[in-house]
Amino acid sequence: MRLWLDTHVAIWVLARPNFLPSDIRDLIAAAGDEVHVSAVSIWEIAIKHALGKLDSPSFSGVEAIGYFREGGFKLLSISPEHAAAVETLPILHRDPFDRLLVAQALTEPLLLVTHDHTVAAYSDTIVCF
């Protein structure tokens, strides 16, 4: 099974695994080396960290790259096809990061794991907890 972690899920895997229900931790563990994190998530982490947002992780975008690689996650770039696929999505969510993550997950295809119920409304291939 190929998983795609939403930004906050990827952060929780690294920094706050206790925030994840045991079934989600098991799902991620079972995926082994098929757990993906998007360049979109690195971008989002970098912006939040630089702005000092309250919900930003304690690590920078550059540090996130190293942590995700050390964790065995595959990092996926943003392709022109991913960017164009955003246009086909209904306007369920206004966050551009989330919309691009959904477009990537649907284009690849990958099973997106999120805690955002609005993101989950895009497809039954999105796992929400």
Side-chain angles (χ1 to χ4, degrees):
M1 172 181 339
R2 298 175 54 194
L3 296 182
W4 187 265
L5 303 182
D6 195 354
T7 304
H8 59 272
V9 175
I11 291 169
W12 291 347
V13 167
L14 293 178
R16 296 188 175 113
N18 58 321
F19 278 30
L20 300 168
S22 61
D23 60 327
I24 297 299
R25 287 193 307 266
D26 292 346
L27 180 69
I28 292 168
D33 65 350
E34 286 295 327
V35 180
H36 297 76
V37 175
S38 175
V40 174
S41 293
I42 305 297
W43 176 32
E44 185 173 9
I45 290 167
I47 289 172
K48 287 183 176 185
H49 187 77
L51 294 174
K53 294 253 187 184
L54 290 176
D55 63 343
S56 70
S58 60
F59 46 87
S60 70
V62 170
E63 291 170 319
I65 293 168
Y67 294 150
F68 291 138
R69 285 187 176 145
E70 287 171 21
F73 300 154
K74 293 182 178 179
L75 299 178
L76 186 65
S77 298
I78 303 164
S79 74
E81 290 78 16
H82 297 149
V86 170
E87 182 178 28
T88 66
L89 296 175
I91 307 294
L92 302 177
H93 207 301
R94 300 260 181 221
D95 184 308
F97 297 114
D98 288 332
R99 290 178 56 75
L100 187 49
L101 286 170
V102 169
Q104 285 184 299
L106 296 176
T107 301
E108 284 306 312
L110 294 159
L111 185 67
L112 180 61
V113 180
T114 187
H115 189 60
D116 184 329
H117 295 284
T118 306
V119 167
Y122 279 101
S123 173
D124 60 358
T125 64
I126 298 174
V127 174
C128 188
F129 62 94

